[in-house]
């Protein structure tokens, strides 16, 4: 005899609706943004999966605002997100790592009260070798009185984010997000094209397992950073050595450390005095996620989400992961024991 157990399958749509019900004042606009992002993620996942087959790999002739060669898939992912998000009436502006200025909502479309900041395809230099890439996103509320979003609306400190998350296009596609009520992860079931709740209420282990850092920059680090890395590796002091894992694709490195504990570091160095990663498109959204999972994120002295941005494409050093590991970075780099992510 076959026993049918009641289904416990929770789609992302159902989850978002249930979360929204917890807030009677919610207008549904934020939920709409999250649905649209989930749709964009599915479309990008398709492109990424087909990359080798469709002959869309390789660099375009264009260079993006950071001066890096754009991969074709970056351009596509950027377009997909803009097209999926610009007409819903929920956003009044966007900013992308791949675009120099504010992305305006086209004439004729309604403007809403939110702004979206995103890195459409992070780690795209890894695409040619089949390493996971990701999309990172952040949602803030408009603070100016103008109908269309202005620069001031985009340059808000990370603590003002109302939602943030990422999509990882790995062996499976996952969408992980927070709206300030914990961190939840959904895995794409490709057979039905739905994101299903697979990782409710993710908590980052406090005893870190992994250290992720590109130590080919060691010669350019200052002595404090070098000393910190020795501590993480268990070479000085009595700390257990962390295991080194570095994909070179931030979303993949972050996701592994979120589930397994540890710390991802992209320190400042003599050649890149502000590090490499972007405050608004990479550091802030992942900082919101990690704090909601019980972890912390800092630039070595200041909590990432307390930094007041001054420009759209600003870079920041980044130490992100389990609380105790990030606290050690703060102590050793700024000399001030601090309670980041409190
Ligand atoms: P991108 O936004 O141009 O793809 O660059 C960001 C990527 C991150 O995914 C990754 O953590 C970092 O660059 C790796 O940089 P490096 O090769 O200097 O270690
Ligand atoms: Mg990036």
């Amino acid at each position: 005899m076959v026993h049918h157990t009641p289904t416990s399958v929770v789609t992302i749509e159902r989850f978002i609706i249930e979360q929204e019900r917890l807030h009677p004042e919610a207008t549904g606009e934020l939920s709409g943004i999250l649905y649209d992002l989930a749709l964009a993620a599915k479309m990008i996942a398709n492109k990424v999966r087909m990359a080798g087959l469709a002959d869309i790999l390789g660099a375009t002739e264009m260079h993006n605002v950071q001066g890096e060669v754009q991969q074709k898939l970056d351009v596509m992912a950027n377009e997909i997100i803009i097209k999926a998000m610009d007409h819903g009436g929920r956003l009044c502006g966007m900013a992308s790592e791949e675009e120099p200025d504010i992305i305006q909502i086209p004439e004729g479309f309604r403007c809403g009260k939110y702004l979206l900041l995103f890195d459409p395809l992070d780690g795209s230099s890894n695409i040619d070798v089949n390493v996971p890439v990701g999309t990172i996103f952040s949602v803030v509320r408009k603070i100016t009185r103008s109908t269309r979003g202005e620069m001031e609306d985009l340059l808000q400190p990370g603590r003002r984010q109302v939602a943030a998350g990422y999509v990882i296009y790995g062996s499976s596609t996952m969408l992980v997000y927070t709206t300030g009520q914990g961190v939840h992860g959904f895995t794409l079931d490709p057979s039905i094209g739905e994101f299903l709740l697979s990782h409710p209420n993710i908590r980052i282990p406090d005893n870190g397992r992994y250290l992720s850092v590109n130590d080919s920059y060691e010669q350019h680090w200052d002595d404090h950073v070098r000393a910190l890395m020795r501590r993480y590796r268990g070479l000085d002091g009595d700390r257990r050595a962390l295991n080194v894992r570095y994909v070179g694709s931030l979303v993949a490195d972050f996701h592994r450390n979120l589930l397994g504990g540890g710390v991802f570091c992209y320190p400042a160095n003599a050649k890149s005095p502000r590090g490499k990663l972007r405050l608004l498109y990479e550091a802030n959204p992942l900082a919101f996620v990690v704090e909601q999972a019980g972890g912390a994120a800092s630039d070595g002295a200041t909590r990432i989400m307390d930094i007041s941005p001054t420009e759209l494409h600003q870079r920041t050093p980044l130490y992100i992961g389990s609380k105790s590991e990030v606290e050690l970075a703060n102590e050793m780099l700024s000399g001030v024991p601090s309670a980041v992510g409190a």
Side-chain angles (χ1 to χ4, degrees), residues 188-267:
L188 182 62
D189 180 340
S191 63
I192 55 169
E194 291 276 9
F195 279 107
L196 304 178
L197 181 62
S198 53
H199 295 65
N201 208 12
I202 296 171
R203 305 295 298 168
I204 185 168
D206 199 43
N207 284 320
R209 272 162 67 189
Y210 301 115
L211 165 64
S212 306
V213 67
N214 184 345
D215 56 13
S216 59
Y217 302 116
E218 183 167 358
Q219 52 183 318
H220 307 299
W221 289 339
D222 73 19
D223 289 344
H224 299 283
V225 174
R226 280 200 201 112
L228 173 65
M229 295 305 153
R230 288 183 63 80
R231 288 287 295 277
Y232 282 147
R233 287 164 188 272
L235 295 174
D236 296 329
D238 52 6
R239 295 183 116 247
R240 189 172 53 98
L242 296 174
N243 241 330
V244 176
R245 293 280 186 280
Y246 193 72
V247 175
S249 196
L250 176 61
V251 169
D253 281 311
F254 177 83
H255 183 69
R256 182 200 51 242
N257 294 4
L258 181 69
L259 299 183
V263 63
F264 172 97
C265 311
Y266 205 112

Side-chain angles (χ1 to χ4, degrees), residues 97 119 121-123 136 277-278 282:
E97 192 187 292
D119 181 354
L121 210 58
D122 183 69
I136 311 174
L277 300 171
R278 290 77 171 176
E282 291 161 331

Side-chain angles (χ1 to χ4, degrees), residues 78-148:
N78 193 47
E79 292 287 307
I80 287 172
I81 295 177
I82 294 171
K83 293 266 146 49
M85 309 301 301
D86 66 2
H87 60 278
R90 301 166 184 119
L91 296 177
C92 58
M94 290 183 261
S96 161
E97 192 187 292
E98 301 293 336
E99 308 256 352
D101 301 310
I102 299 188
I103 303 166
Q104 299 287 0
I105 302 302
E107 290 295 332
F109 291 147
R110 220 159 44 84
C111 280
K113 61 171 184 270
Y114 293 105
L115 297 102
L116 176 72
L117 300 101
F118 60 95
D119 181 354
L121 210 58
D122 183 69
S124 52
S125 62
N126 288 308
I127 289 169
D128 287 352
V129 291
N130 221 337
V131 161
V133 289
T135 297
I136 311 174
F137 60 89
S138 161
V139 180
V140 293
R141 208 174 272 122
K142 180 164 63 83
I143 48 171
T144 62
R145 286 167 176 274
S146 70
T147 315
R148 290 173 177 276

